[in-house]
Amino acid sequence: MISLLKARERLLSPLLSSSIRRRISSNLSYSCEEARGSDVFIHPSAVVHPSSVIGKGVSVGPYCTVGSSVKLGDGCKLYPSSHIFGNTELGESCVLMTGAVVGDELPGYTIIGGNNIIGHHAVVGVKCQDLKYKDGDECFLCIGNNNEIREFCSIHRSSKASDKTVIGDNNLIMGSCHIAHDCKIGDRNIFANNTLLAGHVIVEDYTHSAGATVVHQFCHIGSFAFIGGGSVVSQDVPKYMMVTGERAELRGLNLEGLKRNGFTMSEMKSLRAAYRKIFMSTDAVPLNLEERLTKMEHNQELYSVPAVGAMLQSIRASFAEGRRGICKFRQWLDS
């Protein structure tokens, strides 16, 4: 009989503590809701710290957590079991899907602009995976407006106080992508599922990576570039170019991407002619890459086209000190 009573006590104990926890969180949530006005909805099971700043028309669903230093802009919506921690600010009309985690209890901050969607079980604004990061150092993440970050993505804060992880506007980051510490992402990029960016990668604007793409740390991806599926990018991809391969190589210009983004036939024709002269040269006397770039810069007909000038500048910049050079190209392609 004594053993049965003890067993019953063990079974009831977690239930009682769970019930107490629910009452505590319920009281906390209701007090917050009453203080913040009738246009704010906070579910009784959510835990919302009274020091957090909640905008107008915010909806916090069941079992959500909102930390003490969090600021939620007007119209934000937190679906069940989504959580926001640390010094984190969300702009207007952001949506956190079920299971999303944003921010971390670290020095520094996570700032996310307006109208962003953080997908199911995505983890955004947490500690980086760089072993050089020192506990207690400030670290930062800044995200712009109108981005869609899909399910199971991970986006990390910077690895040091002197840098930031930055994502611009209107990007589509599909499921299970990873953006590591100190990356700089521009505007209107599309990263297909399982695109993995290592630390300090720079991606300009209007790029497109196909699925299962890996980009080595410190690489630079130029605007309007395309990376084929399954590629491993270990060097820079200049503007307008297309690469693919287990060790990605140049495969020509991203003509379809240029066409979709409003480049004229004249611009594409000039870019194609310049690309051929640089990477598919048929000169009787072979020239190295530096000599071919110099020769192209003296070709006034092509170099006067702004897009061609931008492409050459992008190639040259990849050979500056501290850069990784451009992806390999095959000389036999000139046939």
Side-chain angles (χ1 to χ4, degrees):
M1 178 64 72
I2 294 172
S3 62
L4 287 172
L5 289 172
K6 287 182 177 178
R8 182 185 176 193
E9 186 178 41
R10 284 198 300 269
L11 288 170
L12 288 175
S13 178
L15 293 176
L16 287 171
S17 60
S18 176
S19 174
I20 292 168
R21 281 199 301 272
R22 280 198 298 269
R23 280 203 301 272
I24 291 171
S25 65
S26 175
N27 292 338
L28 176 61
S29 299
Y30 277 128
S31 66
C32 291
E33 187 174 359
E34 289 168 3
R36 290 181 170 109
S38 58
D39 62 340
V40 173
F41 170 77
I42 299 176
H43 191 275
S45 64
V47 178
V48 179
H49 197 282
S51 297
S52 60
V53 178
I54 309 296
K56 298 177 180 179
V58 169
S59 173
V60 180
Y63 305 107
C64 292
T65 308
V66 179
S68 61
S69 300
V70 170
K71 297 179 181 178
L72 300 180
D74 295 348
C76 286
K77 185 169 185 177
L78 278 61
Y79 279 86
S81 299
S82 56
H83 309 281
I84 311 180
F85 302 109
N87 187 9
T88 300
E89 181 176 339
L90 266 61
E92 295 182 358
S93 303
C94 286
V95 176
L96 269 62
M97 303 304 293
T98 297
V101 177
V102 177
D104 206 343
E105 298 294 345
L106 296 170
Y109 56 72
T110 297
I111 296 180
I112 299 177
N115 199 38
N116 291 287
I117 298 174
I118 313 296
H120 298 80
H121 302 282
V123 179
V124 176
V126 298
K127 178 182 173 182
C128 69
Q129 298 174 151
D130 188 345
L131 295 177
K132 295 189 295 295
Y133 174 75
K134 298 177 181 178
D135 288 338
D137 283 358
E138 290 188 319
C139 48
F140 307 99
L141 168 65
C142 297
I143 298 178
N145 304 312
N146 306 313
N147 297 286
E148 185 170 2
I149 301 167
R150 293 298 300 267
E151 58 276 7
F152 297 102
C153 286
S154 56
I155 301 174
H156 291 172
R157 290 203 213 176
S158 61
S159 62
K160 51 190 176 182
S162 59
D163 210 340
K164 296 177 182 177
T165 304
V166 178
I167 297 175
D169 303 330
N170 301 292
N171 296 288
L172 172 57
I173 304 172
M174 298 187 194
S176 301
C177 289
H178 174 63
I179 298 176
H181 58 89
D182 309 295
C183 284
K184 305 290 185 294
I185 312 299
D187 301 333
R188 299 186 181 279
N189 298 288
I190 299 174
F191 301 148
N193 299 67
N194 296 291
T195 292
L196 309 178
L197 306 185
H200 303 277
V201 168
I202 296 176
V203 181
E204 295 183 0
D205 305 321
Y206 293 93
T207 70
H208 189 168
S209 71
T213 296
V214 179
V215 182
H216 192 281
Q217 61 192 30
F218 292 100
C219 282
H220 193 127
I221 312 299
S223 296
F224 302 99
F226 179 85
I227 304 174
S231 297
V232 177
V233 179
S234 57
Q235 292 178 286
D236 291 358
V237 181
K239 286 179 186 287
Y240 315 128
M241 297 191 188
M242 180 169 56
V243 300
T244 191
E246 189 274 331
R247 280 294 182 268
E249 298 179 345
L250 298 183
R251 299 294 186 182
L253 294 170
N254 180 22
L255 293 175
E256 184 61 32
L258 297 177
K259 181 180 177 182
R260 290 180 181 180
N261 285 286
F263 281 71
T264 66
M265 290 301 296
S266 176
E267 286 175 311
M268 289 189 286
K269 183 177 179 181
S270 296
L271 284 168
R272 198 169 187 176
Y275 182 93
R276 287 180 174 274
K277 289 181 180 295
I278 296 169
F279 297 111
M280 304 167 66
S281 175
T282 57
D283 292 334
V285 179
L287 303 175
N288 61 36
L289 182 59
E290 171 62 30
E291 290 170 331
R292 278 176 272 172
L293 290 172
T294 301
K295 184 177 179 181
M296 175 54 55
E297 289 167 346
H298 287 91
N299 184 326
Q300 291 301 314
E301 181 183 357
L302 291 176
Y303 193 63
S304 61
V305 178
V308 173
M311 182 176 75
L312 265 65
Q313 184 179 8
S314 178
I315 296 169
R316 282 204 177 278
S318 293
F319 293 97
E321 185 177 356
R323 296 282 291 273
R324 298 184 58 83
I326 64 172
C327 288
K328 298 295 186 291
F329 57 95
R330 293 181 182 270
Q331 195 64 35
W332 50 259
L333 284 175
D334 61 5
S335 62

